[in-house]
Amino acid sequence: MAQTDSYYNPMEKSLPVDSKSAGADEQGYPTQFSPPGYSEFSAAEGYPQQPVAPGYPQQPVAPGYPQEPVTPGYPQQPVATAYPTDQVLYTPLRNPPNDYLALSIFTTIFCCLWIGIAAIRKSSQAREAIRMGDRTAAHEASNSAKTFNIVGIILGIITIAGLSVYYYFKFSSG
């Protein structure tokens, strides 16, 4: 049996094509290949149905194009049903409570780091509740942020005053 360069695509129902008769390039791959039974067609006739490899179910095609029957024993793929999704639109609050974010940042930087971080977290929760339109959660987070800020500022003032007095007496009694 003579060895010939051939091209075989398992998805097409056709025999391998001799590269010399199909016009091959340097590596032996066909440059133009028209499966048997196919001819030139116009756009008005529509595109012909592509052949299906044995053992694979038929893929759905656009309406108006011919379909080949599915091989018996191979079920069609189930079609997923699309359901409409509900979109929830949130309306921001009118006259929202203060979120105290600027005060929380001030408390974090200048007074008490850990309490300031908790205040920033509560301030961001208050902003999120305001954006979502949840007045109750916004007031609760706002009040918590306010409380954390007050406690942080008081602890910061006490710490700064205590350190000032300590260093004053330590270095002045000499």
Side-chain angles (χ1 to χ4, degrees), residues 4-8 12 14-26 28-36:
T4 61
D5 293 334
S6 63
Y7 167 76
Y8 177 71
E12 295 175 356
S14 65
L15 297 173
V17 175
D18 186 13
S19 64
K20 294 171 183 66
S21 63
D25 61 4
E26 301 83 47
Y29 295 108
T31 54
Q32 290 213 344
F33 176 65
S34 179

Side-chain angles (χ1 to χ4, degrees), residues 88-137:
V88 180
L89 301 174
Y90 297 106
T91 306
L93 296 175
R94 289 186 182 181
N95 301 325
N98 192 353
D99 60 2
Y100 299 106
L101 185 61
L103 185 59
S104 299
I105 293 171
F106 175 82
T107 302
T108 303
I109 294 172
F110 295 108
C111 298
C112 186
L113 178 71
W114 303 112
I115 295 176
I117 290 173
I120 288 175
R121 180 163 166 78
K122 285 297 182 180
S123 296
S124 64
Q125 287 176 357
R127 278 198 173 187
E128 182 66 22
I130 290 168
R131 190 183 65 79
M132 300 292 270
D134 189 359
R135 186 171 295 278
T136 305

